[in-house]
């Protein structure tokens, strides 16, 4: 039976979303009624579509009998997570041709890396890149000549942007194809140790680079459980990946076999019924709740407190941070993956992976089973894991194509309960995210990686307008005390809400030295952060008149994660008399930032998804 809290939150989301969801589905229904798109093309239009195609593909497109599939690709060869996508289009096209169908790269989307831009001006473009990706996806599909779509993306803003854009074409079957994580490098605990040593000046930059390079060392996603791998978990638990495909390493027979199997699955659906499982039918209120449960049960990235709100809105579904917090009270924490533990996603996969996780959550009453996925009805298929079919005569090394894949039940028990546990024996009876409320506004905190004794802090404020200011104060020895770091003017309207990940080594060092410390900010922290209590995404932000802009140096603040409280110990009367303390307008040009001024003017608050366009309309 479904847990009562899951049912309660789902019902109120359905009720709250009634008007916007109906409006969205009405648009999709209208699109479904239209004739086959290529049938309405003039000769000149069609000639442009197939001008660069092979003679055989031209013949197929002229006949207009077989499906034509779009590929939206985030490939670039600078970023490890997206480098494997270079080979995907050729593989997709080869499989399509076996079905007498066609596939075309409809367009590319940018894929920037927060790991490269941490602490730099370019980070101010990061969040807005999600909306650029959504619009780029729409531009690519606006040619309106496709019967199905494959979205190739992995990392932080890329997957949310792809899904937001794809939902405008929700009448089509749209699959997400993962690239998989890189092989494990040095242990995450060792990487964190070297970072903290560098922050203290105890190791050289050369030693730091050696440790970082031993961690980020090959093609694939970073192996910690940040936003990129949280994306992959979400796409699978929401039924947009093939079962068990999220965490298979790149350049393996199984990885290629799964990609080929996804193409075969879509084409079989299209050819058998002349339609696949439409994206709009898959992404529903219940699917979104399943995504939230997955996020909470795995201690996923806090960035999804923003992204999931925006993705849901694109489907006409209205969710709030309170929904997340109410679910977090009952959803058990079933994984320990860095930064919530020492293992990485490869260890999680080996212990049982997504199949074990989804079976436990479903059987425990935490997932809706009456949902559609890209492979059909319900979640039974997602309690299985893929293996190479050794009885197949088709192997990668010959010229017949990728290996065949079969699905088998996941192990009955977790193979490592230090990484992955059953519902009956969770790491914590509550999920990994918490909503904080108080006279400073509302914020979210990731508690899955914060030890219990650090989850409540009362201390005087130290106020900064950038993470660089805090780093300078630390280097000068001015932070050797209990304090709460207040970093303001980092919200969507101020600076595009850059991640403040460089705070982590500094604050973690102070915490390890015995000081009671915490962070309060209207900016973001990295999906890999969590050791130090951090009230983030604070709304309203400073430049919108938020109370964070009225905090004075030395004001007493309480952050109480267990009680969901964020309190500035200043009377309402005094707060009413205080003026906003904002620094002079910061530089907003260079590194392309001037091109995004329009985004900063219209972006919604963090709790509304930090959207630059009215996707909820």
């Amino acid at each position: 039976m479904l847990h009562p809290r899951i049912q309660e939150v789902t019902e109120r989301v359905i009720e709250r979303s009634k008007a916007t969801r109906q409006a969205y589905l009405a648009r999709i229904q209208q699109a479904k009624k239209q004739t086959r798109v290529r049938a309405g093309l003039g000769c000149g239009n069609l000639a442009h579509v197939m001008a660069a195609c092979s003679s055989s593909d031209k013949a197929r497109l002229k006949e207009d009998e077989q499906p034509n599939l779009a590929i939206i690709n985030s490939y670039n060869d600078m970023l490890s997570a997206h480098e494997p996508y270079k080979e995907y289009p050729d593989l997709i096209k080869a499989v399509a041709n076996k079905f007498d169908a066609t596939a075309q790269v409809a367009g590319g989307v940018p894929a920037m890396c927060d790991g490269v831009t941490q602490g730099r001006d370019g980070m101010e473009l990061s969040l807005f890149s999600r909306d650029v990706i959504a619009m780029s996806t729409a531009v690519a599909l606006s040619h309106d000549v496709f019967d199905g779509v494959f979205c190739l993306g992995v990392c932080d803003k890329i997957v949310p942007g792809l899904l937001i854009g794809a939902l405008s074409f929700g009448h089509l079957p749209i699959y997400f194809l993962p690239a998989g994580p890189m092989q494990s490098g040095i242990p995450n605990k060792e990487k964190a140790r070297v970072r903290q040593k560098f922050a203290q000046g105890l190791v050289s930059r050369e030693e730091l680079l050696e440790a970082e390079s031993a961690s980020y060392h090959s093609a694939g996603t970073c192996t910690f459980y940040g936003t990129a791998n949280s994306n992959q978990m979400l796409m699978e638990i929401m039924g947009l990946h093939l079962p068990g495909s999220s965490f298979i390493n790149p350049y393996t027979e199984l990885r290629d076999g799964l990609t080929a199997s996804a193409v075969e699955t879509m084409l079989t659906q299209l050819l058998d019924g002349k339609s696949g499982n439409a994206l709009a039918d898959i992404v529903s209120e219940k699917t979104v709740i399943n995504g939230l449960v997955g996020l909470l049960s795995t201690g996923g990235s806090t960035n999804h407190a923003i992204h999931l709100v925006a993705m849901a809105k694109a489907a006409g579904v209205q969710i709030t941070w309170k929904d997340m917090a109410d679910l977090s009270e009952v959803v058990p924490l079933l994984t320990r993956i860095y930064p919530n533990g020492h293992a990485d996603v490869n260890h999680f996969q080996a212990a049982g992976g997504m199949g074990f996780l989804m079976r436990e959550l479903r059987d425990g009453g935490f997932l809706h089973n009456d949902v559609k996925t890209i492979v059909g009805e319900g979640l039974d298929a997602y309690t299985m894991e893929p293996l190479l079919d050794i009885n197949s005569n088709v192997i990668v090394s010959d010229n017949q194509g990728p290996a065949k894949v079969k699905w088998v039940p996941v192990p009955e028990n977790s193979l490592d309960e230090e990484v992955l546990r059953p519902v009956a024996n969770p790491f914590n009876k509550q999920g990994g995210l918490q909503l904080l409320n108080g006279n400073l506004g509302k914020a979210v905190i990731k508690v899955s990686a914060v030890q219990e004794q650090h989850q409540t802090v009362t201390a005087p404020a130290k106020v900064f307008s950038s993470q660089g200011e805090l780093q300078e104060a630390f280097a000068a020895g001015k932070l050797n005390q209990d304090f709460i770091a207040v970093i303001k003017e980092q919200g969507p309207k101020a600076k595009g809400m850059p991640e403040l990940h460089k705070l982590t080594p500094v604050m973690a060092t102070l915490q390890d030295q015995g000081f009671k410390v915490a962070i309060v900010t209207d900016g973001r922290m990295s999906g890999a952060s969590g050791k130090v209590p951090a009230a983030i995404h604070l709304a309203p932000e400073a430049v919108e008149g938020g109370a964070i802009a009225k905090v004075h140096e030395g004001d007493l603040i309480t952050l109480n994660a267990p009680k969901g409280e964020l309190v500035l110990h200043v009377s309402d009367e005094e707060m009413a008399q205080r003026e906003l303390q904002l620094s002079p307008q910061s530089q907003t040009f260079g590194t392309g930032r001037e091109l995004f001024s329009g985004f900063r003017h219209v972006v919604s608050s963090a709790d509304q998804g930090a959207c630059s366009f009215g996707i909820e309309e």
Side-chain angles (χ1 to χ4, degrees), residues 360-372:
E360 286 296 308
L361 289 171
R362 185 197 63 176
D363 293 353
F366 296 102
L367 290 180
H368 291 282
N369 194 56
D370 54 337
V371 292
K372 291 185 178 180

Side-chain angles (χ1 to χ4, degrees), residues 384-416:
M384 312 285 279
E385 64 179 340
L387 296 175
L388 292 173
D389 187 353
I390 60 175
N391 295 318
S392 170
N393 293 323
V394 181
I395 58 175
V396 172
S397 58
D398 67 15
N399 294 320
Q400 299 183 57
K404 293 293 183 182
V405 178
K406 63 179 180 179
W407 276 262
V408 300
V410 294
E412 184 64 28
N413 300 307
S414 169
L415 301 184
D416 187 348

Side-chain angles (χ1 to χ4, degrees), residues 22-23 61 101 108 126 186 189 270 281 289 334 342 364 381 465 492 581:
Q22 287 178 351
L61 289 167
S126 176
I186 65 169
K189 186 177 182 179
L270 286 169
D281 296 329
I289 294 297
L334 301 185
H342 300 315
S465 293
Q581 294 184 327

